[in-house]
Amino acid sequence: MKLVKLILVALLITSCGTVVNYDYEKSTNFNDYKSYNYFAEMKTGMSELDTKRLMRTMDAKLKTMGLTRSDNPDFYIDIISQDIQSRNNSNVGIGVGGGGGHVGGGISVGVPIGGNKRTRELAIEFVDDNKTGMFWQAISESRYNPNATPEKREEKFKALVEKMFSSYPPKSK
């Protein structure tokens, strides 16, 4: 019984984490890129305040990686996000079974655990308009609370940016 509880807790913890997927152009020499800026007319899908929080967090992280923000950049960054709300639906099932001359039936009702879940899909794209176009992309999906305090939002963005940039630049094989 203890093992079952341990497995359930592990599944619960891992299912609430952030999922990040990466993609990049194989022919890219990432050492060529030292400066960046953001596209002027980004449609981030977030509030202006959240966009500013995310950009400040990204600027700090990119600085630690040796990249500088510039008015004449080597590449541009685009930020795209969308909110996803999934619903928990109740399920009703009816079954009939039998064996050994006996016939039985049953009805089951699924009760959802928890409420509706809100997640945000966030894509960060690095684009070089002079060479290859988009050369790196990270897409994350994670839970978020639209009513969180500004401090909690900033903490969430810091953790998210850390995870999203953990594979930049890609390791050469």
Side-chain angles (χ1 to χ4, degrees):
M1 189 65 176
K2 240 183 184 179
L3 181 61
V4 172
K5 286 182 183 178
L6 186 62
I7 291 171
L8 287 174
V9 169
L11 284 173
L12 181 65
I13 290 170
T14 57
S15 68
C16 294
T18 301
V19 175
V20 179
N21 293 306
Y22 305 95
D23 198 5
Y24 63 95
E25 177 62 44
K26 249 171 53 171
S27 63
T28 302
N29 181 357
F30 289 89
N31 294 323
D32 290 346
Y33 298 106
K34 301 293 182 199
S35 63
Y36 70 93
N37 207 332
Y38 299 92
F39 281 112
E41 298 297 320
M42 285 189 300
K43 304 283 188 222
T44 66
M46 296 183 287
S47 73
E48 185 176 346
L49 292 172
D50 275 348
T51 298
K52 287 178 182 179
R53 286 182 190 102
L54 177 59
M55 289 172 63
R56 276 194 308 267
T57 303
M58 287 175 55
D59 288 343
K61 179 61 179 173
L62 292 170
K63 186 176 183 178
T64 67
M65 298 168 69
L67 297 168
T68 56
R69 193 166 172 181
S70 168
D71 290 333
N72 189 20
D74 297 327
F75 68 94
Y76 287 91
I77 297 175
D78 197 7
I79 300 169
I80 307 152
S81 79
Q82 66 176 342
D83 295 346
I84 303 166
Q85 184 171 350
S86 61
R87 297 176 193 242
N88 285 333
N89 295 321
S90 299
N91 296 314
V92 176
I94 300 173
V96 177
H102 300 293
V103 176
I107 297 176
S108 68
V109 177
V111 178
I113 298 174
N116 293 340
K117 296 178 184 170
R118 293 192 75 146
T119 58
R120 174 181 284 149
E121 182 181 89
L122 177 65
I124 297 174
E125 301 174 346
F126 287 7
V127 180
D128 181 350
D129 283 339
N130 298 321
K131 293 182 184 175
T132 59
M134 186 188 338
F135 63 91
W136 184 83
Q137 179 184 57
I139 300 175
S140 74
E141 187 174 331
S142 61
R143 289 187 69 171
Y144 90 105
N145 178 359
N147 300 317
T149 64
E151 295 80 15
K152 291 285 185 192
R153 289 172 185 252
E154 196 155 332
E155 284 176 29
K156 180 74 173 177
F157 282 133
K158 283 179 183 177
L160 192 57
V161 165
E162 274 301 316
K163 190 162 188 174
M164 291 181 83
F165 286 102
S166 66
S167 291
Y168 183 86
K171 310 291 183 248
S172 58
K173 294 180 181 180

